Amino acid sequence: MKIQIKQENYKQLVQCIYLGNLVINEFRKVGEEKKEYADFLEDVLLQIVKSMPKTELKFGYEYKAIPYEKTQDNLFSDLCDRIEDSIKEYYQEYRNAVFDEVLAEKLKLY
């Protein structure tokens, strides 16, 4: 199967994958997480990191001779941080909605 995604939709795809893994694995105990989802997320993010340009803009100019000073692990962490920042409102809305539903169910019992 081949799925084609427009370049402008990559951000939404990565956000959805990241959010899906959060919902599936965040509250599981260590060793009980659904590894296939965490591994899939990591694989997608590593592909993004590997496809990043090998030069960076400094002061508005591109210096092709100056490679990134960051390691792949640092780039991976930076990418995760940017994704987390971009989805935190969506995830908080989700958690609030789940809390409201659970609370309403608990109150029905009384």
Side-chain angles (χ1 to χ4, degrees):
M1 171 193 250
K2 184 176 181 178
I3 299 173
Q4 293 187 2
I5 298 169
K6 296 176 186 173
Q7 187 169 357
E8 61 265 19
N9 298 117
Y10 284 150
K11 178 181 177 182
Q12 289 91 354
L13 175 64
V14 172
Q15 287 174 325
C16 287
I17 295 169
Y18 199 92
L19 280 165
N21 184 62
L22 258 178
V23 169
I24 292 167
N25 281 321
E26 184 178 38
F27 294 106
R28 294 185 187 275
K29 294 178 184 175
V30 174
E32 294 181 5
E33 59 272 335
K34 301 289 185 183
K35 191 163 172 36
E36 63 271 19
Y37 292 95
D39 289 347
F40 178 68
L41 172 63
E42 184 175 341
D43 181 55
V44 169
L45 296 181
L46 281 173
Q47 288 180 51
I48 292 169
V49 167
K50 288 177 182 176
S51 70
M52 288 178 165
K54 300 299 181 218
T55 59
E56 65 179 318
L57 294 177
K58 290 190 178 193
F59 310 111
Y61 298 98
E62 184 174 354
Y63 293 95
K64 294 186 184 211
I66 300 175
Y68 273 128
E69 296 168 2
K70 294 183 179 183
T71 65
Q72 184 170 313
D73 289 341
N74 289 342
L75 291 170
F76 184 87
S77 294
D78 289 348
L79 178 60
C80 288
D81 289 344
R82 287 195 322 244
I83 295 168
E84 286 175 9
D85 288 345
S86 75
I87 57 111
K88 65 183 170 188
E89 288 179 28
Y90 304 129
Y91 189 58
Q92 190 59 47
E93 287 175 20
Y94 166 78
R95 291 181 67 180
N96 290 343
V98 169
F99 176 79
D100 291 347
E101 285 182 31
V102 170
L103 184 61
E105 286 296 317
K106 297 256 185 209
L107 291 174
K108 281 184 187 177
L109 298 174
Y110 297 105

